[in-house]
């Protein structure tokens, strides 16, 4: 079992300057070059995987949730990288990413895990001392046989086919229970520590076969050292309840809120240190101003950083104060472009969201209760014939509202600047306020 502490999130290699400047959205690249902060959130992950390394298996599921743009995928990629960096020939770890839609297919899920274990065995065998390499070669031989067996079951594991065999049947048709399939992989997987990552987990199919898979991911067969981390939007817990989760582990459900101003400034500092030169005093002034504009929202940090970088590049890399106003203006434009996209994803007329923002602004804490939103939205929903539950789900998925974690059935706007943007829309609110 592992006694080595997991590393802190590792800074990704910065993208080449031209590639970074051409980004229009943070989703265009993999790991973020200037990932910063999230220490408390990462500590939840590290605690869970270190418990796994000490032999504690089962019930350690982690859940990271938040509105679009909160940095869920960025945190997930950093955690996956930490697992990879922790893996050694005498203590192999496997990080495997599984799409939420695949969770209804037991054979496919196990196939993805086995395939990831095979890939790690191959990598470690190339760097292992001969005594250890022999053990890894045995694992790889077993893993390949198991992977082929899973493929021949007709599950189309992870999109692969074996030997030109016939078209695979629908994996959900399998009569084999998920527990049996997971247990069948135990002779291989017992040699690894497995960390499963599920992104966009709010899309998990709520069907019969999913319950068996989810039970195995939450409480795997005793011979499989495995822990799962789910990343998703704000309603992920409700979806997981419908998939059989009766309760969630204490201390391992994390709401991703905006970063602190210090952490946001730190991200901009790394960007400026990488690409630009300038007096320390000016650099600090830029960091603070850009962080304040971002309000700590990870999506904004990336967009504002790129906008500011383009302004600096166009002025021969100078960090002069008079250029900062232009950078802030360009950054604001990119923020508003993002909000326009969120608004376009909403299911109702912009006037309704403006109405909600105006009403929330009159409350000291800018929080709206579910009952208040029902009352405010009722006239619009009557016209469009959309149910309130569908409207609320859409507003959460579009990032136009976010639940207040400490106060059930209450909602707020994810960032103050979104509320400002909605209140300033050049449309009439849906009702007189």
């Amino acid at each position: 079992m592992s006694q080595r502490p997991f590393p802190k999130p590792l800074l990704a290699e910065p993208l080449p300057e031209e590639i970074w400047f051409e980004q229009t959205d943070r989703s265009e690249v993999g790991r973020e070059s200037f990932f910063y902060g999230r220490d408390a959130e990462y500590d939840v992950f590290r605690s869970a995987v270190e418990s796994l390394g000490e032999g504690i298996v089962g019930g350690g599921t982690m859940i990271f949730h938040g509105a679009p743009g909160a940095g869920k995928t960025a945190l997930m990629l950093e955690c996956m990288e930490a697992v990879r960096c922790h893996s050694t020939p005498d203590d192999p770890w496997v990080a495997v990413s599984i799409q939420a839609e695949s969770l209804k297919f037991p054979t496919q899920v196990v196939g993805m895990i086995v395939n990831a274990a095979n890939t790690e065995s191959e990598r470690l065998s190339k760097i292992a001392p001969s005594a250890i390499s022999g053990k890894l070669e045995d694992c790889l031989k077993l893993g390949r046989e198991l992977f082929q067996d899973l493929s021949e079951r007709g599950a189309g594991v992870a999109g692969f086919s074996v030997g030109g065999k016939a078209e695979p049947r629908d994996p959900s048709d399998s009569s084999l229970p998920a527990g049996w399939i997971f247990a069948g992989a135990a002779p291989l997987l017992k040699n690894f520590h497995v960390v499963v990552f599920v992104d966009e987990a709010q899309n998990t199919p709520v069907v019969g076969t999913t319950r068996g898979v989810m039970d195995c991911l939450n409480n795997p067969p005793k011979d499989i050292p495995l822990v799962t981390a789910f990343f998703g939007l704000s309603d992920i817990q409700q979806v997981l309840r419908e998939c059989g989760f009766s309760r969630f582990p204490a201390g391992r459900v994390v709401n991703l809120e905006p970063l602190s101003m210090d952490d946001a400034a730190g991200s901009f500092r790394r960007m400026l240190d990488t690409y630009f030169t300038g007096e320390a005093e000016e650099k600090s002034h830029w960091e603070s101003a850009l962080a304040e504009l971002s309000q700590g929202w990870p999506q904004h940090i990336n967009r504002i950083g790129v906008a500011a970088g383009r302004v600096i590049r166009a002025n021969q890399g100078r960090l002069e104060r008079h250029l900062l106003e232009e950078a802030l203006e360009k950054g604001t434009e990119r923020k508003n472009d993002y909000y326009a996209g969120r608004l376009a994803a909403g299911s109702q007329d912009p006037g309704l969201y403006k109405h909600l923002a105006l009403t929330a602004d009159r409350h000291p804490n800018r929080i709206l209760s579910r009952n208040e939103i029902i009352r405010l939205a009722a006239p619009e929903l009557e016209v469009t014939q959309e149910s309130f539950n569908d409207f609320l789900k859409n507003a959460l998925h579009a990032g136009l509202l976010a639940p207040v974690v400490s106060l059930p059935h209450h909602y707020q706007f994810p960032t103050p600047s979104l509320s400002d943007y909605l209140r300033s829309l050049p449309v009439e609110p849906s009702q007189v306020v």
Side-chain angles (χ1 to χ4, degrees):
M1 63 183 62
S2 172
Q3 296 298 325
R4 297 179 298 121
F6 259 75
K8 288 275 190 179
L10 304 172
L11 184 64
E13 287 294 321
L15 291 169
E17 185 174 301
E18 289 303 314
I19 295 177
W20 187 74
F21 279 135
E22 293 309 312
Q23 287 185 65
T24 59
D25 191 88
R26 63 206 291 263
S27 63
E28 294 179 351
V29 296
R31 292 177 61 218
E32 293 187 6
S33 300
F34 310 113
F35 181 86
Y36 201 89
R38 295 298 188 209
D39 289 346
E41 294 86 348
Y42 181 77
D43 282 346
V44 171
F45 167 78
R46 181 163 55 184
S47 172
V49 292
E50 288 184 346
S51 293
L52 181 68
E54 293 167 1
I56 302 173
V57 179
T61 300
M62 297 162 278
I63 299 170
F64 299 87
H65 64 88
K72 299 179 294 297
T73 300
L75 176 62
M76 185 186 82
L77 293 176
E78 291 302 315
C79 292
M80 292 185 71
E81 183 66 14
V83 173
R84 295 188 184 103
C85 291
H86 196 76
S87 182
T88 64
D90 62 342
D91 182 23
W93 286 71
V94 176
V96 53
S97 176
I98 296 178
Q99 294 180 338
E101 291 82 357
S102 298
L103 293 176
K104 65 179 178 179
F105 303 141
T107 311
Q108 191 173 93
V109 169
V110 175
M112 291 180 191
I113 297 172
V114 168
N115 191 52
N118 290 347
T119 300
E120 184 63 6
S121 291
E122 289 178 341
R123 186 185 75 84
L124 293 175
S125 292
K126 295 175 182 178
I127 63 174
S130 57
I132 299 175
S133 181
K135 177 182 177 181
L136 290 172
E137 289 295 339
D138 290 342
C139 286
L140 186 55
K141 179 181 178 181
L142 175 60
R144 286 171 174 165
E145 292 174 352
L146 180 57
F147 183 77
Q148 179 156 343
D149 179 63
L150 289 166
S151 298
E152 288 176 347
R153 294 185 188 282
V157 176
F160 295 98
S161 60
V162 178
K165 293 185 179 297
E167 286 294 315
R169 59 182 171 79
D170 183 348
S172 64
D173 288 342
S174 174
S175 60
L176 297 176
W180 191 94
I181 299 171
F182 271 81
L188 169 68
L189 299 181
K190 69 181 182 180
N191 299 292
F192 299 84
H193 290 99
V194 180
V195 187
V196 173
F197 295 85
V198 181
D199 201 9
E200 302 295 343
Q202 75 279 352
N203 296 324
T204 301
V206 183
V207 296
T209 51
T210 304
R211 282 178 168 265
V213 173
M214 298 292 268
D215 184 58
C216 290
L217 292 179
N218 189 41
N219 288 290
K222 63 179 181 179
D223 291 335
I224 303 179
L226 180 151
V227 67
T228 303
F230 293 95
F231 294 77
L233 296 178
S234 302
D235 58 345
I236 179 178
Q237 292 183 73
Q238 179 57 37
V239 174
L240 295 181
R241 286 189 188 96
E242 294 173 5
C243 293
F245 276 59
S246 59
R247 61 185 179 87
F248 299 102
R252 291 188 179 172
V253 179
V254 179
N255 179 42
L256 296 184
E257 297 180 328
L259 300 178
S260 70
M261 287 299 98
D262 286 345
D263 285 343
S267 183
F268 287 115
R269 185 181 312 119
R270 283 183 172 174
M271 180 268 289
L272 294 172
D273 286 345
T274 299
Y275 292 132
F276 307 106
T277 59
E279 296 296 328
E281 182 179 354
E282 282 301 309
K283 191 176 292 186
S284 177
H285 191 72
W286 276 70
E287 294 162 7
S288 298
L290 296 174
E292 184 177 355
L293 179 61
S294 76
Q295 295 183 327
W297 199 240
Q299 179 68 244
H300 294 337
I301 291 172
N302 181 271
R303 286 171 172 257
I304 292 169
V306 171
R310 290 175 179 174
V311 170
I312 299 169
R313 180 181 61 170
N315 290 275
Q316 294 73 52
R318 300 194 303 274
L319 294 177
E320 298 176 1
R321 190 163 301 197
H322 75 277
L323 296 174
L324 179 56
E325 290 303 316
E326 181 182 354
L328 294 174
E329 180 180 345
K330 297 294 185 183
T332 299
E333 290 176 0
R334 297 200 75 194
K335 277 179 60 176
N336 289 342
D337 285 344
Y338 175 73
Y339 287 148
R342 297 292 91 207
L343 189 60
S347 63
Q348 291 293 322
D349 186 88
L352 174 55
Y353 303 106
K354 179 174 183 175
H355 182 41
L356 294 175
L358 288 167
T359 304
D361 193 50
R362 296 204 297 266
H363 298 335
N365 51 16
R366 291 189 172 185
I367 291 175
L368 295 170
S369 70
R370 177 186 175 91
N371 288 338
E372 190 170 16
I373 299 174
I374 290 174
R375 178 178 60 80
L376 296 171
E380 285 286 319
L381 299 182
E382 184 176 356
V383 172
T384 61
Q385 294 296 297
E386 182 181 22
S387 73
F388 176 77
N389 285 340
D390 286 343
F391 161 72
L392 182 60
K393 180 178 180 179
N394 174 268
L396 295 173
H397 285 203
L400 296 169
L401 288 173
V404 179
V405 175
S406 60
L407 193 60
H409 308 302
H410 284 71
Y411 302 86
Q412 61 188 355
F413 296 96
T415 61
S417 59
L418 171 59
S419 180
D420 295 341
Y421 172 82
L422 294 173
R423 294 198 310 274
S424 68
L425 288 173
V427 296
E428 291 298 318
S430 61
Q431 300 181 33
V432 177
V433 297

